[in-house]
Amino acid sequence: MGRLVQIAILPRQQDDLDYVLELALEKEKLRKGQISDWRIRKRSIDARRKPIKINLQIEIWMKGEKREIIPPFVPKNVSESKEIAIIGAGPAGLYAALRAVEAGLKPIVFERGKDVRERRRDLAAINKDQIVNPESNYCFGEGGAGTYSDGKLYTRSKKRGNVLKALEWFVHFGADENILVDAHPHIGTNKLPKIITAMREAIIENGGEVHFNSKLTDLKLNNHAIEAIEINGENWMKFDNVILATGHSARDIFYLLHKKNIKIEAKPFAIGVRVEHQQELIDHIQYHGDAENPYLPPASYALVEQVDGLGVYSFCMCPGGIIAPCATEQGEVVTNGWSPSKRNNPYANSGIVVSVEPKDLPNYSENDPFVCLDFQKYVEQRCWEAGGKTQKVPAQRMIDFVEGKVSEDFPKTSYQPGIVSADLNEVLPPLLSKRLKKAFVAFGKKMKGYYTNQAVLHAPESRTSSPISIPRNPETLEHIEIHGLYPCGEGAGYAGGIISAAIDGINCVDAIVQKLEK
């Protein structure tokens, strides 16, 4: 590692690299001839007050020092190697497969949905025709939920594993190098499919396998250990190491595990609504009126408030984004948000959700692992009914919601299936609606202008994380009761986004390698 220097510049100065280097050298009292190399290592916006600044961390190598460049991905030919099964081709599953190829294991990936390009037809069907394919949608298919919900790569999970390695693999497979620098890296839904395809091709090219339309339907156990898996209700295959990376919406997997007497547990999660403002308004608020500055990106925000003992907070904020229909079966509606790489749509949207513990729910039972999942399903079904039993969602202007008035009309929405006016106080359980009302008023005091009737609430935002966890041994990462079964990623309760899921996939393969080496 070289010498690190912190500097702050104006937004208009960020592309003037000569000036950036000059400022860093001046701060360190160095001359250009004394260094061999340099780079911008981290970049973030400080918009807390005017003038808005860009904070940069500069890394400098002195004369005689060499900037070490380590190849991010070094695969092996694993055609004849020991096989491991990976269930799911989301970020956890794909990164597990890539790590297996690096480590000399042959990954066999089974994905219930379609490849990343074929998925597009089913996404068009849910948006335009309001038809939900339960095996191929915004949540299921190659790349998982993250592929068509924007590719935000920010994580707080620094202690869970190598964040830089995960980001470098994205760059290796085609992502912009800026994701290694930006404090809140983002790829964009329009660019992710090509990157995901390149990852799959690397897995296959080096001897691994990826099978689509291949759904896990049963498990065979022998003496508390995995012996075989069944795919599509007919094909049994022997595996003694299975990584279960099925995502937060694969409810059938939870029911399967419960049926097989494999322990699962209710888990805290969050549920609420997705709020849409005009991006121009959010820019004006966050940039203190400097919304027309061409050197600043579309502004984001992060909000949190404790309300009646539960946290209410913003989730998956999408500047210049679009609200998408993310149901995984008929009879429910679900919203999520995404942004293209340029974040150039006129809308800003974010989930505003209430943290829910199992014990907070009216039907709580200590021995019921489905208490949170049942609540999630109840809210999604209620909203489906209120939206007219289609993929339209019940909606309400923000101040109307707080004041209990049904909205008579709406500004244009980015949610393509459409919205239906409803009083969300009657649609959502009081546990959620009462806290959301108080939170919106509080958020309006924190962000002057946020609390407005120009903002529209779309209900529900319900797939923030898995409502169930699959317990595992913290050292071996195997299920606490079943040897060879590795609960992994968001669906098992061990990740909260693309990068943390990817890291968990890597960690599970490392645990298998460690076990096999004993």
Side-chain angles (χ1 to χ4, degrees):
M1 180 184 288
R3 184 186 300 195
L4 298 179
V5 187
Q6 308 288 340
I7 62 172
I9 60 174
L10 296 173
R12 69 173 182 272
Q13 298 167 330
Q14 60 187 314
D15 293 328
D16 188 345
L17 298 183
D18 290 336
Y19 174 75
V20 169
L21 177 58
E22 180 183 334
L23 196 62
L25 293 176
E26 182 181 325
K27 185 170 183 180
E28 287 295 288
K29 297 181 171 55
L30 294 172
R31 299 187 306 277
K32 195 171 183 179
Q34 293 178 276
I35 69 170
S36 63
D37 203 352
W38 74 284
R39 67 169 176 171
I40 298 173
R41 185 169 176 176
K42 287 294 177 186
R43 175 173 51 226
S44 62
I45 298 173
D46 184 355
R48 291 172 294 179
R49 61 187 68 84
K50 295 181 73 172
I52 296 166
K53 297 286 185 70
I54 305 292
N55 290 329
L56 298 177
Q57 184 186 72
I58 309 298
E59 188 170 12
I60 294 173
W61 287 267
M62 304 300 293
K63 284 286 187 182
E65 295 178 340
K66 189 175 181 180
R67 177 177 172 181
E68 189 177 10
I69 300 177
I70 302 171
F73 179 63
V74 184
K76 298 176 182 176
N77 189 315
V78 297
S79 302
E80 305 300 323
S81 300
K82 179 174 176 57
E83 297 178 349
I84 63 172
I86 299 172
I87 312 301
L94 283 174
Y95 267 63
L98 292 169
R99 177 62 189 133
V101 168
E102 266 200 339
L105 296 172
K106 181 175 180 177
I108 314 293
V109 181
F110 299 97
E111 167 55 51
R112 69 191 297 165
K114 300 176 183 178
D115 70 57
V116 73
R117 292 198 175 278
E118 285 295 312
R119 285 177 73 185
R120 290 177 175 173
R121 298 178 184 178
D122 298 307
L123 303 188
I126 192 172
N127 273 296
K128 296 176 182 178
D129 303 321
Q130 307 194 29
I131 299 171
V132 181
N133 182 336
E135 306 302 339
S136 178
N137 43 63
Y138 275 94
C139 293
F140 299 152
E142 186 180 24
T147 299
Y148 289 106
S149 61
D150 182 286
K152 295 180 192 67
L153 303 180
Y154 177 69
T155 180
R156 294 186 178 91
S157 306
K158 310 295 183 184
K159 296 180 181 179
R160 292 185 181 180
N162 193 334
V163 173
L164 181 59
K165 181 182 181 74
L167 291 172
E168 285 179 336
W169 278 7
F170 267 113
V171 173
H172 176 80
F173 290 107
D176 192 295
E177 289 188 352
N178 280 321
I179 68 170
L180 303 176
V181 175
D182 291 332
H184 289 79
H186 162 259
I187 293 178
T189 291
N190 54 317
K191 294 189 175 182
L192 271 164
K194 186 176 180 180
I195 295 167
I196 298 301
T197 300
M199 289 180 175
R200 180 227 307 160
E201 290 173 347
I203 293 164
I204 295 171
E205 182 181 317
N206 290 286
E209 298 178 14
V210 181
H211 301 276
F212 297 109
N213 302 303
S214 299
K215 181 178 180 179
L216 176 68
T217 49
D218 206 351
L219 298 165
K220 186 176 290 184
L221 308 177
N222 184 11
N223 196 25
H224 299 287
I226 285 286
E227 186 176 90
I229 62 173
E230 182 192 60
I231 299 297
N232 293 337
E234 54 186 14
N235 298 321
W236 281 97
M237 284 161 277
K238 288 193 172 184
F239 288 99
D240 53 10
N241 289 292
V242 176
I243 294 177
L244 196 61
T246 48
H248 58 44
S249 293
R251 292 167 172 168
D252 57 299
I253 296 298
F254 301 136
Y255 294 125
L256 171 62
L257 295 179
H258 189 62
K259 179 182 176 182
K260 305 294 289 189
N261 293 316
I262 298 173
K263 187 175 180 60
I264 59 175
E265 298 172 333
K267 172 187 155 296
F269 75 122
I271 188 167
V273 296
R274 186 152 283 266
V275 179
E276 186 168 76
H277 291 79
Q278 288 291 316
Q279 181 63 49
E280 184 179 9
L281 172 64
I282 301 301
D283 290 344
H284 183 82
I285 296 170
Q286 296 296 80
Y287 292 147
H288 314 288
D290 194 13
E292 302 299 319
N293 191 323
Y295 301 99
L296 291 171
S300 63
Y301 62 82
L303 294 165
V304 62
E305 185 76 15
Q306 285 293 317
V307 181
D308 298 338
L310 298 180
V312 183
Y313 60 93
S314 57
F315 170 82
C316 184
M317 196 274 149
C318 300
I322 288 171
I323 300 178
C326 294
T328 51
E329 55 186 274
Q330 299 289 357
E332 64 187 27
V333 290
V334 179
T335 65
N336 196 1
W338 64 272
S339 301
S341 57
K342 292 183 180 180
R343 291 179 161 170
N344 56 355
N345 281 294
Y347 310 102
N349 69 74
S350 178
I352 300 295
V353 295
V354 180
S355 297
V356 177
E357 296 274 347
K359 60 181 175 56
D360 297 323
L361 299 175
N363 56 332
Y364 171 68
S365 170
E366 187 176 353
N367 298 318
D368 181 8
F370 297 108
V371 60
C372 290
L373 176 57
D374 289 343
F375 183 71
Q376 183 188 61
K377 290 171 65 175
Y378 169 74
V379 172
E380 292 171 2
Q381 290 165 0
R382 287 269 298 174
C383 290
W384 176 73
E385 291 168 357
K389 298 184 178 181
T390 68
Q391 284 304 300
K392 293 183 178 181
V393 295
Q396 196 168 11
R397 290 177 183 262
M398 185 181 287
I399 295 177
D400 287 348
F401 169 64
V402 173
E403 295 180 351
K405 300 176 182 177
V406 176
S407 301
E408 295 182 0
D409 56 14
F410 293 103
K412 190 175 180 181
T413 173
S414 68
Y415 184 75
Q416 195 170 348
I419 58 179
V420 173
S421 183
D423 185 355
L424 297 182
N425 294 283
E426 296 180 1
V427 177
L428 299 174
L431 170 73
L432 305 178
S433 61
K434 289 181 179 180
R435 289 174 172 85
L436 287 170
K437 287 161 70 171
K438 292 180 180 179
F440 286 129
V441 174
F443 292 161
K445 294 175 181 176
K446 294 179 178 181
M447 283 180 64
K448 303 297 182 184
Y450 181 89
Y451 181 60
T452 170
N453 234 14
Q454 291 305 304
V456 178
L457 283 53
H458 301 62
E461 167 71 66
S462 52
R463 304 289 177 94
T464 55
S465 66
S466 176
I468 286 178
S469 68
I470 308 173
R472 71 186 186 190
N473 183 306
E475 294 182 2
T476 68
L477 304 191
E478 293 174 296
H479 188 276
I480 59 172
E481 298 172 345
I482 309 299
H483 297 299
L485 180 64
Y486 292 82
C488 180
E490 281 203 43
Y494 300 102
I498 291 174
I499 291 299
S500 58
I503 289 170
D504 204 50
I506 292 173
N507 290 345
C508 285
V509 172
D510 287 344
I512 293 173
V513 170
Q514 188 175 0
K515 180 178 71 173
L516 294 175
E517 288 176 346
K518 288 182 178 179

